[in-house]
Amino acid sequence: MPQIQTLSKPLLNERRAMTSNAQTLRKAVPVRDIDIVSESIISYQGRYVEMTPKAFGQLMRLIGMSKTFANQFEALFSPETKAKFINTMKNAMAANLNEITLVMSPIQKKIVGFSKKAEDMISNERFLDLAEGIIGDHGMDVTNWSVDSDTGAVTINAFNPKAQFDIGVDNEVFTAGLTMKNSPFGGIEVMPYVNRLWCANGCTTAMAADKYSLHNLNQESMEPFFQHLSQLRKNGFVPTGFKDTVKQAINTPASLLEMERAHRTVEKIVGNRADNWIPLHDNIAAYHSIGVDTKELSAEQKKRSMTDQSIWSIVNGMTHVATHANDILLNEPLDEAKSTQMMVDAGNMRAKDFDMANEMPSPFSKNVLNETTQIGAILN
């Protein structure tokens, strides 16, 4: 059975320094004082400042415009006309939205987000004090510690080696722990984190019953937070309904839509090798063999199209890539923030309602609709 890799003391010290240096900066500015130059640049007080695509999307939403509409507008007119139109919309919104908060990454030297409210931000230092206290108090080891350069979010995955549990299925044994995240947009979030011991895959589960968000560290907020943490500990940090959900995932085929989404996620990391984990093209070929062009199917039709892989197989394909990416990629190490996010994506897939979960078994064969069985059709 593979060993779960944990971070050494030198690596932990390195991650602490990286986290401190990644502290995002906030500045509230009058909406009328910024001008959109392009999708990647704004002008503020005569200076050009770069922004990420996610930040541009947030800005569009704040002024009541979608990126899709903006792109369609540019297709009809020039980029300059598009920028002028967006600025006109922004200025029209200024009556209702006087100020906007810019969130700047010291790593990228770019704006990574915009916020409508100048909310109090929990610093990375205070987050580390809280997270490391939880890790020490609960005897946990750290498996992942990442800083997302696109958003400034810090994520730590930790587990308790003694908190092992099974689900009553052969070869399915897990260890439980926590994912702790600090984001300039969502504050601190704490979610259950599990490792599958059979292959040492990690997975974060953001189910509503277990996820807890903390937007400040005053006593009024901290008391219910620690009560929630105490309840998680009583449950051994095992996510609510985890055993039943895994059993259902093992016995539920993934839909074609679910397989496509998982394949796209894995493909971003391993490129054209994605079928080694998510065999999408074998399934597409199987549908083509019966005369079905999957490209012509709607999303709803794909939801009802069965594949030859279970939800559990799909989830573990994703978590295997996320956990072992650096062994797989060799000369192209995966950014740890992307690895951690894939664990969350896999956990979200397991936590949602499965597309094929309500399919009922049929006692009839595919060829049941023949002329000898259709009673009403043969009546004179």
Side-chain angles (χ1 to χ4, degrees), residues 115-279:
S115 175
K116 189 180 290 187
K117 298 178 182 178
E119 298 171 338
D120 291 336
M121 181 171 57
I122 300 175
S123 71
N124 286 346
E125 291 297 329
R126 297 188 72 187
F127 165 68
L128 288 183
D129 288 342
L130 177 66
E132 290 181 326
I134 292 171
I135 290 168
D137 290 346
H138 296 87
M140 293 182 174
D141 293 329
V142 177
T143 58
N144 306 86
W145 185 333
S146 66
V147 177
D148 188 335
S149 59
D150 286 338
T151 64
V154 180
T155 306
I156 299 174
N157 292 334
F159 76 101
N160 185 335
K162 296 180 181 178
Q164 293 190 12
F165 66 98
D166 63 62
I167 60 169
V169 176
D170 288 345
N171 297 323
E172 294 296 355
V173 181
F174 304 83
T175 58
L178 292 172
T179 291
M180 292 166 283
K181 178 179 180 180
N182 188 34
S183 163
F185 309 107
I188 293 176
E189 295 177 327
V190 175
M191 300 159 278
Y193 168 77
V194 295
N195 269 103
R196 184 185 184 215
L197 292 184
W198 179 255
C199 53
N201 292 356
C203 179
T204 297
T205 66
M207 298 177 77
D210 299 313
K211 182 177 177 180
Y212 196 94
S213 298
L214 195 62
H215 296 286
N216 60 64
L217 300 181
N218 60 32
Q219 185 175 353
E220 187 179 340
S221 299
M222 293 303 293
E223 285 182 6
F225 171 76
F226 281 116
Q227 288 172 3
H228 180 79
L229 199 63
S230 176
Q231 187 59 51
L232 286 178
R233 184 172 188 172
K234 287 178 182 177
N235 296 338
F237 298 105
V238 179
T240 301
F242 184 82
K243 297 179 182 181
D244 291 338
T245 305
V246 170
K247 288 179 181 178
Q248 184 184 25
I250 290 171
N251 293 302
T252 302
S255 72
L256 187 59
L257 186 66
E258 289 166 329
M259 179 175 274
E260 284 182 344
R261 287 173 175 167
H263 189 275
R264 280 196 297 271
T265 301
V266 171
E267 191 175 35
K268 291 176 184 176
I269 307 303
V270 298
N272 58 16
R273 291 178 288 171
D275 274 63
N276 292 331
W277 290 269
I278 313 291

